């Protein structure tokens, strides 16, 4: 059957095999269904057409999901979704067993979730997208759901996680298979994807945000990767080899963490615990991983920062046996008597207050997530382009706050929020930068990482 496939399509088939998917076995399985997520970009469109050929060869149905997040202009995101629908309709008309489902998120849904989770708009969009994937997979009883991450995505992800100081496990990169999700294109470069589409005369959509260097991934793609290509010809092989080694080390660490005696008797109530005597016997590295594991078991809805964990363990080591509690996002860590508890707690924003004087570069944790202070400020990993003067004050909104406008007049910040349609629940999460000792003048406020706008006083 493979003889009927083009070389690119055979490579997708090989990629499925690398992920442990035996297409012949699927063919023999009653009611087996292959699914794929398609956005309209070159990567996913090539996956759609390659899988169409593969599933026709092996007489398997193909179910497609496309998600409209409504976080770009409606005319652009809707056009992407409509293009995917039209591609599937054309394939079906040609005799392919292809069916497409469109999922449209509510207007403002991503923005609202961004404020609740404090992890940035991209993270919130991803969370909602995967929730849609789960419902789609259940509806059609999918055997697998294919995603279109390619070799370029893998390399960019590894660079991004290294620059962010991520955990060793993150250095493994994008996994080929995770539960239902399969990524058969991780060995294929973007140039090969475009060559395949051009050869077949198939067009694709271009996401306008791909050129926005406010996003770390785009800066890596547009600035760092060309520099590496020009000066370090073998960097790709070195990075991928390092990821393989990190995977081996990660397996060892995960095996140690799995040995922990975690009390899950109260998990349904959102609480886990471990004996302090067991926790004290762990190495520092395993202590970090055990806290991460327990938070993830409770469904932590944003990335748990290393600086918070480091601060918690420092407080733990200096507690002299006294009880204490520290919180991050929706997770509460506490020491009581002879046990360490990790508890899921609901975060209430309405009475939220935060205030800090920042005097030096570093990473700081706040209710909205993390602030990285470098040459410029970054909120939850999203760069702002704003270079601070030390010291500065970071705080949230107070009644009566005013900000300077371009025409030299003052405008009530509550009116600015009303113009931006910022909900009452979101307003306390928006950080303001003010001067220290100079009348507390507002120099900037940053809400783009929550899905709104930024305001920088010139």
């Amino acid at each position: 059957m493979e003889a009927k496939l083009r070389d690119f399509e055979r490579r997708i088939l090989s990629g499925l095999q690398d992920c442990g998917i035996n297409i012949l076995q699927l063919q023999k399985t009653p009611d087996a269904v292959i699914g794929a997520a398609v956005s309209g970009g070159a990567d996913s469109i090539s996956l759609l057409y390659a899988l169409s050929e593969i599933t026709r060869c092996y007489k398997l149905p193909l179910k497609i999901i496309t998600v409209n997040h409504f976080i770009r202009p409606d005319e652009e995101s809707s056009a992407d979704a409509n293009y995917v629908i039209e591609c599937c309709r054309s394939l079906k008309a040609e005799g392919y067993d292809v069916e497409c489902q469109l999922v449209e998120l509510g207007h403002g849904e991503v923005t609202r979730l961004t404020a609740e989770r404090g992890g940035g708009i991209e993270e919130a969009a991803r969370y909602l997208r995967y929730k849609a994937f789960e419902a789609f997979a259940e509806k059609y009883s999918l055997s697998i759901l294919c995603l279109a991450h390619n070799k370029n995505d893998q390399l960019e992800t590894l660079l991004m996680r290294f620059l962010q100081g991520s955990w060793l496990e993150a250095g493994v990169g994008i996994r080929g298979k995770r539960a239902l999700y399969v990524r058969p294109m991780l060995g294929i470069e973007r140039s090969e994807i475009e060559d395949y589409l051009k050869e077949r005369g198939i067009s694709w959509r271009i996401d306008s945000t791909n050129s926005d260097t406010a996003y770390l991934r785009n800066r890596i793609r547009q600035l760092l990767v060309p520099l590496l290509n020009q000066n370090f010809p073998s960097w790709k092989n070195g990075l991928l080899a390092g990821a393989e080694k990190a995977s081996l080390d990660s397996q060892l660490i995960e095996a140690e963490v799995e040995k922990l005696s975690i009390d899950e008797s109260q998990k349904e109530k959102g609480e886990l615990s471990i004996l302090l005597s067991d926790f004290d016997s762990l190495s520092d590295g395993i202590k970090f991983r055990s806290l991460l594991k327990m938070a993830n078991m409770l469904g932590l809805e944003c990335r748990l920062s290393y600086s918070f964990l480091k601060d918690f363990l420092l407080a733990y080591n200096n507690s002299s046996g006294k009880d204490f509690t520290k919180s991050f996002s929706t997770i509460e860590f506490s020491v009581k008597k002879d046990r360490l508890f990790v508890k899921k707690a609901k975060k209430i924003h309405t009475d939220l207050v935060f205030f800090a004087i920042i005097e030096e570069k570093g990473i700081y944790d706040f209710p909205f997530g993390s602030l990285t202070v470098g040459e410029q400020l970054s909120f939850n990993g999203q760069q702002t382009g704003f270079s601070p003067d030390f010291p500065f004050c970071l705080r949230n909104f107070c009644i009566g706050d005013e900000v300077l406008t371009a025409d030299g007049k003052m405008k009530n910040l509550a009116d600015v929020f009303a113009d931006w349609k910022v909900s009452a629940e979101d307003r306390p999460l928006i950080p303001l930068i003010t001067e220290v000792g100079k009348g507390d003048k507002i120099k900037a406020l940053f809400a783009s990482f929550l899905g709104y706008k930024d305001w920088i006083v010139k």
Side-chain angles (χ1 to χ4, degrees):
M1 292 187 183
E2 288 188 37
K4 300 178 183 179
L5 300 176
R6 297 170 179 83
D7 178 66
F8 182 88
E9 293 152 5
R10 286 196 294 270
R11 292 185 63 190
I12 297 292
L13 186 57
S14 177
L16 287 170
Q17 293 169 345
D18 290 341
C19 295
I21 306 304
N22 186 325
I23 197 77
L24 289 173
Q25 189 64 44
L26 279 182
Q27 187 184 33
K28 297 174 184 177
T29 303
D31 302 321
V33 182
I34 290 180
V38 179
S39 66
D43 306 336
S44 62
I45 288 294
S46 71
L47 180 64
L48 166 62
Y49 279 89
L51 286 176
S52 297
E53 300 295 344
I54 292 169
T55 53
R56 182 159 74 168
C57 275
Y58 290 90
K59 296 180 173 57
L60 290 164
L62 178 61
K63 307 296 183 184
I64 301 300
I65 180 173
T66 188
V67 180
N68 188 347
H69 302 81
F70 288 113
I71 54 177
R72 290 178 287 142
D74 285 2
E75 61 273 14
E76 181 181 342
S77 58
S78 294
D80 290 352
N82 290 335
Y83 178 67
V84 174
I85 293 169
E86 184 55 38
C87 287
C88 293
R89 186 179 293 127
S90 297
L91 285 166
K92 192 171 186 66
E94 294 174 23
Y96 294 85
D97 188 359
V98 176
E99 183 177 348
C100 181
Q101 176 178 319
L102 167 65
V103 175
E104 293 186 306
L105 303 180
H107 282 80
E109 187 175 357
V110 174
T111 301
R112 286 192 294 273
L113 188 66
T114 299
E116 291 174 13
R117 293 165 65 86
I121 196 165
E122 289 296 315
E123 191 275 336
R126 182 183 185 280
Y127 175 83
L128 290 171
R129 182 166 62 251
Y130 275 81
K131 294 291 284 185
F133 291 169
E134 290 170 11
F136 175 73
E138 183 176 356
K139 176 181 178 180
Y140 290 105
S141 300
L142 297 184
S143 306
I144 57 172
L145 179 59
C146 297
L147 305 179
H149 299 93
N150 60 49
K151 187 174 182 179
N152 295 60
D153 295 324
Q154 179 74 288
L155 292 164
E156 291 163 8
T157 297
L158 290 168
L159 289 171
M160 183 167 66
R161 291 178 177 174
F162 172 77
L163 293 173
Q164 291 175 325
S166 297
W167 296 94
L168 173 64
E169 293 90 324
V172 173
I174 304 171
R175 297 183 185 273
K177 187 177 188 305
R178 180 176 62 83
L180 185 72
Y181 303 107
V182 175
R183 299 174 175 87
M185 300 177 67
L186 288 178
I188 300 176
E189 295 203 25
R190 170 73 183 215
S191 59
E192 297 172 301
I193 289 168
E194 294 188 7
D195 287 344
Y196 169 72
L197 292 174
K198 290 174 182 176
E199 178 187 333
R200 294 196 58 181
I202 301 167
S203 61
W204 64 87
R205 300 282 300 171
I206 298 176
D207 186 340
S208 62
T209 63
N210 287 344
S211 60
D212 186 353
T213 54
Y215 296 99
L216 176 58
R217 183 179 290 275
N218 289 347
R219 290 199 303 281
I220 288 172
R221 179 180 301 154
Q222 297 178 36
L223 303 176
L224 181 55
V225 168
L227 180 68
L228 292 172
N229 287 338
Q230 182 177 354
N231 296 281
F232 304 94
S234 62
W235 73 272
K236 295 179 181 179
N237 291 335
L239 192 59
L240 292 173
E244 288 184 16
K245 295 170 186 175
S247 177
L248 296 174
D249 292 340
S250 177
Q251 291 172 33
L252 177 62
I253 292 171
E254 289 173 2
E256 290 300 311
V257 174
E258 285 299 317
K259 297 177 183 177
L260 295 175
S261 298
I262 297 173
D263 183 355
E264 300 183 40
S265 61
Q266 301 299 311
K267 185 178 179 181
E268 290 188 3
K269 297 181 179 180
E271 182 178 276
L272 301 171
S273 68
I274 184 173
L275 283 169
L276 292 184
S277 56
D278 290 343
F279 188 72
D280 289 338
S281 68
L282 304 175
S283 67
D284 287 345
I286 304 300
K287 283 179 180 176
F288 274 107
R289 290 342 189 269
S290 66
L291 294 174
L292 275 174
K293 175 183 173 66
M294 294 169 76
N296 290 331
M297 287 172 66
L298 292 176
L300 178 64
E301 296 179 346
C302 68
R303 185 178 298 172
L304 188 57
S305 80
Y306 171 75
S307 58
F308 170 80
L309 289 176
K310 186 176 179 180
D311 181 58
F312 175 81
L313 287 177
L314 179 63
Y316 175 78
N317 292 334
N318 294 331
S319 64
S320 301
K322 296 179 181 178
D323 294 353
F324 73 96
T325 299
K326 283 185 174 291
S327 299
F328 182 91
S329 183
T330 57
I331 295 291
E332 179 182 282
F333 295 79
S334 62
V335 172
K336 297 177 182 177
K337 296 183 179 179
D338 62 343
R339 302 192 76 87
L340 188 157
F341 293 86
V342 181
K343 182 178 181 180
K344 191 170 184 179
K346 185 171 180 60
K347 192 166 54 173
I348 301 174
H349 298 321
T350 52
D351 297 321
L352 189 63
V353 176
F354 58 85
F355 179 98
I357 303 296
I358 309 296
E359 299 182 299
E360 60 184 1
K361 296 179 180 178
I363 300 176
Y364 303 86
D365 293 315
F366 288 95
F368 56 76
S370 66
L371 164 69
T372 301
V373 182
E375 295 303 319
Q376 58 179 279
L377 300 185
S378 173
F379 292 92
N380 292 335
Q382 183 172 318
Q383 295 280 359
T384 63
F386 179 82
S387 300
D389 294 324
F390 296 107
F392 65 88
C393 174
L394 186 139
R395 63 172 176 83
N396 58 347
F397 169 67
C398 295
I399 299 298
D401 275 339
E402 293 184 321
V403 64
L404 185 68
T405 64
D407 60 5
K409 298 179 180 179
M410 301 301 292
K411 184 170 183 176
N412 193 295
L413 201 51
D415 294 334
V416 173
F417 289 159
D419 293 342
W420 291 356
K421 296 180 173 57
V422 181
S423 68
E425 292 78 14
D426 292 351
R427 295 183 184 191
L429 287 169
I430 295 177
L432 315 179
I433 304 297
T434 68
E435 295 178 333
V436 176
K438 299 180 181 179
D440 195 37
K441 294 180 181 178
I442 296 175
K443 301 294 294 181
L445 63 96
F446 298 100
S448 61
F449 74 101
L450 293 172
Y452 300 105
K453 300 180 182 179
D454 295 335
W455 184 303
I456 299 176
V457 177
K458 304 296 184 181

